[in-house]
Amino acid sequence: MSSPEQPSMEQTISLTFLTLGSSTVGKSSLITRYAKNIFRESSYSTVGIDYQTKTFSMFDRTIVLKIYDTAGQERFRGLARAYYKNADGILLMYNIADRGSYNDVENWRKEIKENASKKAILLLIGNKCDLEEKRKTSKEEAEKLAKEYEMDYFETSAKTGYNVNEAIEHLVETVLKKKELITSIIKKKKEEKEEAIRIEEMNQKKKKNNCC
Ligand code: GTP
Ligand code: MG
Protein backbone atom coordinates (compact mmCIF):
# COMPACT_ATOMS: atom_id res chain seq x y z
CA MET A 1 0.00 0.00 0.00
CA SER A 2 1.31 3.49 -0.78
CA SER A 3 1.70 6.15 1.90
CA PRO A 4 -0.40 9.38 1.61
CA GLU A 5 2.74 11.27 0.49
CA GLN A 6 3.50 8.77 -2.24
CA PRO A 7 0.65 8.40 -4.71
CA SER A 8 -0.01 4.91 -6.05
CA MET A 9 0.91 4.17 -9.66
CA GLU A 10 -2.79 4.17 -10.66
CA GLN A 11 -3.09 7.74 -9.41
CA THR A 12 -0.03 8.96 -11.28
CA ILE A 13 -0.26 10.01 -14.91
CA SER A 14 2.89 10.81 -16.87
CA LEU A 15 2.51 13.16 -19.80
CA THR A 16 5.02 14.40 -22.34
CA PHE A 17 4.77 17.78 -24.04
CA LEU A 18 6.95 19.47 -26.62
CA THR A 19 7.61 23.13 -27.40
CA LEU A 20 7.87 24.19 -31.04
CA GLY A 21 8.25 27.54 -32.75
CA SER A 22 10.83 29.81 -34.30
CA SER A 23 13.94 30.94 -32.46
CA THR A 24 13.53 33.59 -29.72
CA VAL A 25 9.72 33.36 -29.47
CA GLY A 26 10.27 32.46 -25.79
CA LYS A 27 9.85 28.66 -25.66
CA SER A 28 12.53 28.11 -23.01
CA SER A 29 11.38 31.18 -21.08
CA LEU A 30 7.77 29.97 -20.99
CA ILE A 31 8.54 26.54 -19.61
CA THR A 32 11.14 27.88 -17.17
CA ARG A 33 8.52 30.31 -15.89
CA TYR A 34 6.09 27.39 -15.59
CA ALA A 35 8.43 24.90 -13.92
CA LYS A 36 10.57 27.23 -11.78
CA ASN A 37 8.76 30.59 -11.78
CA ILE A 38 11.92 32.28 -13.09
CA PHE A 39 12.42 34.70 -16.00
CA ARG A 40 15.71 35.87 -17.50
CA GLU A 41 15.89 39.00 -19.69
CA SER A 42 18.95 37.64 -21.47
CA SER A 43 18.95 33.94 -22.19
CA TYR A 44 20.89 31.62 -24.46
CA SER A 45 19.36 30.06 -27.52
CA THR A 46 18.65 26.38 -26.87
CA VAL A 47 21.31 24.05 -28.23
CA GLY A 48 19.95 20.65 -29.27
CA ILE A 49 17.16 19.81 -26.85
CA ASP A 50 16.37 20.52 -23.22
CA TYR A 51 13.54 19.67 -20.83
CA GLN A 52 11.75 20.72 -17.65
CA THR A 53 9.48 18.67 -15.41
CA LYS A 54 6.70 19.59 -13.05
CA THR A 55 4.51 17.47 -10.78
CA PHE A 56 1.08 18.70 -9.71
CA SER A 57 -2.47 17.52 -8.96
CA MET A 58 -5.44 17.53 -11.31
CA PHE A 59 -8.73 15.54 -11.22
CA ASP A 60 -7.52 13.72 -8.05
CA ARG A 61 -4.52 12.46 -9.99
CA THR A 62 -0.83 13.25 -9.69
CA ILE A 63 0.39 14.53 -13.02
CA VAL A 64 4.07 14.20 -13.85
CA LEU A 65 4.61 16.49 -16.80
CA LYS A 66 7.82 16.42 -18.82
CA ILE A 67 8.17 19.21 -21.36
CA TYR A 68 10.83 18.82 -24.04
CA ASP A 69 12.11 22.19 -25.15
CA THR A 70 13.25 22.19 -28.77
CA ALA A 71 15.64 24.65 -30.40
CA GLY A 72 14.08 26.99 -32.95
CA GLN A 73 17.27 27.22 -34.96
CA GLU A 74 17.19 25.42 -38.30
CA ARG A 75 20.34 23.34 -37.64
CA PHE A 76 18.68 21.48 -34.73
CA ARG A 77 15.44 20.56 -36.55
CA GLY A 78 16.51 16.98 -37.35
CA LEU A 79 17.35 16.24 -33.73
CA ALA A 80 14.03 17.67 -32.49
CA ARG A 81 12.03 15.43 -34.84
CA ALA A 82 13.04 12.38 -32.78
CA TYR A 83 10.94 13.79 -29.92
CA TYR A 84 7.73 14.50 -31.87
CA LYS A 85 6.31 10.95 -31.81
CA ASN A 86 5.99 10.61 -28.03
CA ALA A 87 4.41 13.99 -27.40
CA ASP A 88 0.90 13.95 -25.92
CA GLY A 89 0.69 17.72 -26.32
CA ILE A 90 2.52 20.32 -28.40
CA LEU A 91 2.95 23.98 -27.45
CA LEU A 92 3.24 25.71 -30.83
CA MET A 93 4.52 29.21 -30.14
CA TYR A 94 5.07 32.53 -31.84
CA ASN A 95 5.90 36.03 -30.62
CA ILE A 96 3.04 38.55 -30.93
CA ALA A 97 5.61 41.30 -31.64
CA ASP A 98 7.35 39.38 -34.46
CA ARG A 99 5.28 38.89 -37.61
CA GLY A 100 7.81 36.46 -39.10
CA SER A 101 7.34 34.05 -36.20
CA TYR A 102 3.57 34.13 -36.76
CA ASN A 103 4.02 33.47 -40.49
CA ASP A 104 6.19 30.48 -39.55
CA VAL A 105 3.30 28.81 -37.69
CA GLU A 106 2.01 27.22 -40.88
CA ASN A 107 5.38 25.54 -41.55
CA TRP A 108 5.59 24.31 -37.98
CA ARG A 109 2.15 22.79 -38.36
CA LYS A 110 3.30 20.94 -41.49
CA GLU A 111 6.32 19.63 -39.53
CA ILE A 112 3.95 18.41 -36.81
CA LYS A 113 1.63 16.72 -39.31
CA GLU A 114 4.55 14.89 -40.88
CA ASN A 115 6.31 13.84 -37.70
CA ALA A 116 4.04 13.82 -34.63
CA SER A 117 1.49 11.27 -33.47
CA LYS A 118 -2.04 11.83 -34.81
CA LYS A 119 -3.17 11.73 -31.18
CA ALA A 120 -1.03 14.71 -30.11
CA ILE A 121 -3.04 17.79 -29.14
CA LEU A 122 -1.81 21.18 -30.26
CA LEU A 123 -2.07 24.51 -28.48
CA LEU A 124 -1.21 27.76 -30.23
CA ILE A 125 0.50 30.30 -27.98
CA GLY A 126 1.15 33.95 -28.78
CA ASN A 127 3.92 34.81 -26.30
CA LYS A 128 5.41 38.18 -25.21
CA CYS A 129 1.95 39.72 -24.82
CA ASP A 130 3.53 42.24 -22.41
CA LEU A 131 4.86 43.92 -25.60
CA GLU A 132 1.39 45.17 -26.52
CA GLU A 133 2.70 48.41 -28.08
CA LYS A 134 4.84 46.36 -30.50
CA ARG A 135 2.10 43.88 -31.41
CA LYS A 136 2.17 42.73 -35.07
CA THR A 137 -0.57 40.08 -34.98
CA SER A 138 -4.05 40.75 -33.63
CA LYS A 139 -5.66 38.36 -31.20
CA GLU A 140 -8.62 37.91 -33.57
CA GLU A 141 -6.36 36.90 -36.47
CA ALA A 142 -4.54 34.32 -34.34
CA GLU A 143 -7.82 32.98 -32.96
CA LYS A 144 -9.10 32.52 -36.51
CA LEU A 145 -5.95 30.62 -37.52
CA ALA A 146 -6.14 28.45 -34.40
CA LYS A 147 -9.78 27.62 -35.15
CA GLU A 148 -8.93 26.70 -38.73
CA TYR A 149 -6.23 24.29 -37.47
CA GLU A 150 -8.46 23.00 -34.63
CA MET A 151 -6.22 24.32 -31.87
CA ASP A 152 -7.07 26.35 -28.80
CA TYR A 153 -5.28 29.67 -28.47
CA PHE A 154 -3.70 31.47 -25.50
CA GLU A 155 -1.70 34.67 -25.22
CA THR A 156 1.02 34.50 -22.59
CA SER A 157 3.91 36.45 -21.15
CA ALA A 158 6.82 34.45 -19.80
CA LYS A 159 8.12 37.81 -18.55
CA THR A 160 5.17 38.68 -16.28
CA GLY A 161 3.89 35.12 -15.92
CA TYR A 162 0.52 36.11 -17.43
CA ASN A 163 -1.52 33.05 -18.51
CA VAL A 164 1.51 30.70 -18.40
CA ASN A 165 0.07 28.16 -15.93
CA GLU A 166 -3.40 28.57 -17.46
CA ALA A 167 -2.18 27.75 -21.00
CA ILE A 168 -0.10 24.70 -20.06
CA GLU A 169 -2.67 23.31 -17.65
CA HIS A 170 -5.41 23.85 -20.23
CA LEU A 171 -3.44 21.59 -22.58
CA VAL A 172 -2.98 19.03 -19.79
CA GLU A 173 -6.73 19.07 -19.17
CA THR A 174 -7.53 18.67 -22.88
CA VAL A 175 -5.10 15.74 -23.22
CA LEU A 176 -6.50 14.04 -20.11
CA LYS A 177 -10.08 14.48 -21.28
CA LYS A 178 -9.21 12.95 -24.63
CA LYS A 179 -7.38 10.05 -22.98
CA GLU A 180 -10.38 9.40 -20.69
CA LEU A 181 -12.65 9.48 -23.68
CA ILE A 182 -10.48 6.99 -25.53
CA THR A 183 -10.34 4.75 -22.45
CA SER A 184 -14.12 4.75 -22.08
CA ILE A 185 -14.62 4.02 -25.80
CA ILE A 186 -12.24 1.01 -25.57
CA LYS A 187 -14.05 -0.18 -22.41
CA LYS A 188 -17.45 0.11 -24.12
CA LYS A 189 -16.25 -1.81 -27.20
CA LYS A 190 -14.81 -4.57 -24.99
CA GLU A 191 -18.11 -4.84 -23.10
CA GLU A 192 -20.05 -5.03 -26.38
CA LYS A 193 -17.75 -7.81 -27.65
CA GLU A 194 -18.12 -9.77 -24.41
CA GLU A 195 -21.90 -9.40 -24.58
CA ALA A 196 -21.92 -10.69 -28.19
CA ILE A 197 -19.87 -13.75 -27.13
CA ARG A 198 -22.27 -14.40 -24.21
CA ILE A 199 -25.31 -14.27 -26.53
CA GLU A 200 -23.60 -16.55 -29.03
CA GLU A 201 -22.78 -19.08 -26.27
CA MET A 202 -26.39 -18.94 -25.01
CA ASN A 203 -27.73 -19.61 -28.53
CA GLN A 204 -25.36 -22.55 -28.97
CA LYS A 205 -26.58 -24.03 -25.65
CA LYS A 206 -30.24 -23.55 -26.68
CA LYS A 207 -29.60 -25.31 -30.02
CA LYS A 208 -27.92 -28.25 -28.22
CA ASN A 209 -30.83 -28.61 -25.77
CA ASN A 210 -33.45 -28.46 -28.56
CA CYS A 211 -31.84 -31.09 -30.76
CA CYS A 212 -31.80 -33.94 -28.13
P1 GTP B 1 15.46 29.24 -29.13
O1 GTP B 1 15.98 28.42 -27.99
O2 GTP B 1 16.55 29.89 -29.91
O3 GTP B 1 14.54 28.48 -30.02
O4 GTP B 1 14.61 30.48 -28.49
P2 GTP B 1 13.41 30.42 -27.45
O5 GTP B 1 12.15 30.35 -28.20
O6 GTP B 1 13.66 29.37 -26.44
O7 GTP B 1 13.47 31.85 -26.76
P3 GTP B 1 14.00 32.24 -25.29
O8 GTP B 1 13.11 31.68 -24.25
O9 GTP B 1 15.43 31.92 -25.21
O10 GTP B 1 13.75 33.81 -25.29
C1 GTP B 1 14.36 34.69 -26.23
C2 GTP B 1 14.38 36.09 -25.67
O11 GTP B 1 13.06 36.59 -25.49
C3 GTP B 1 15.07 36.22 -24.29
O12 GTP B 1 15.82 37.40 -24.27
C4 GTP B 1 13.91 36.30 -23.32
O13 GTP B 1 14.23 37.05 -22.16
C5 GTP B 1 12.85 37.03 -24.15
N1 GTP B 1 11.47 36.67 -23.76
C6 GTP B 1 10.96 35.44 -23.63
N2 GTP B 1 9.67 35.49 -23.28
C7 GTP B 1 9.34 36.79 -23.19
C8 GTP B 1 8.13 37.49 -22.86
O14 GTP B 1 7.07 36.92 -22.58
N3 GTP B 1 8.20 38.86 -22.92
C9 GTP B 1 9.33 39.54 -23.24
N4 GTP B 1 9.26 40.87 -23.26
N5 GTP B 1 10.49 38.90 -23.54
C10 GTP B 1 10.49 37.56 -23.50
MG1 MG C 1 15.10 27.94 -26.21
Side-chain angles (χ1 to χ4, degrees), residues 27-28 44-46 69-70:
K27 299 180 293 300
S28 304
Y44 296 105
S45 236
T46 304
D69 181 26
T70 68

Side-chain angles (χ1 to χ4, degrees), residues 23-24 26-29 40-41 43 45-46 72 127-128 130 158:
S23 190
T24 76
K27 299 180 293 300
S28 304
S29 301
R40 293 186 190 93
E41 282 289 347
S43 62
S45 236
T46 304
N127 188 43
K128 306 201 186 182
D130 54 289

Side-chain angles (χ1 to χ4, degrees), residues 14-98:
S14 300
L15 295 177
T16 304
F17 283 6
L18 184 76
T19 64
L20 282 180
S22 299
S23 190
T24 76
V25 298
K27 299 180 293 300
S28 304
S29 301
L30 185 98
I31 67 164
T32 304
R33 167 64 83 188
Y34 178 65
K36 297 185 180 152
N37 203 16
I38 292 170
F39 175 77
R40 293 186 190 93
E41 282 289 347
S42 57
S43 62
Y44 296 105
S45 236
T46 304
V47 173
I49 192 127
D50 206 347
Y51 72 88
Q52 301 273 357
T53 56
K54 188 166 170 174
T55 302
F56 58 97
S57 291
M58 192 183 271
F59 302 130
D60 290 332
R61 296 283 185 276
T62 299
I63 314 292
V64 180
L65 178 62
K66 184 168 191 175
I67 310 180
Y68 283 105
D69 181 26
T70 68
Q73 287 178 34
E74 185 84 44
R75 64 195 165 116
F76 298 117
R77 297 267 161 95
L79 174 75
R81 280 186 199 114
Y83 293 83
Y84 282 48
K85 271 277 174 278
N86 287 332
D88 300 296
I90 296 175
L91 302 155
L92 173 48
M93 295 179 60
Y94 73 95
N95 166 4
I96 67 141
D98 172 8

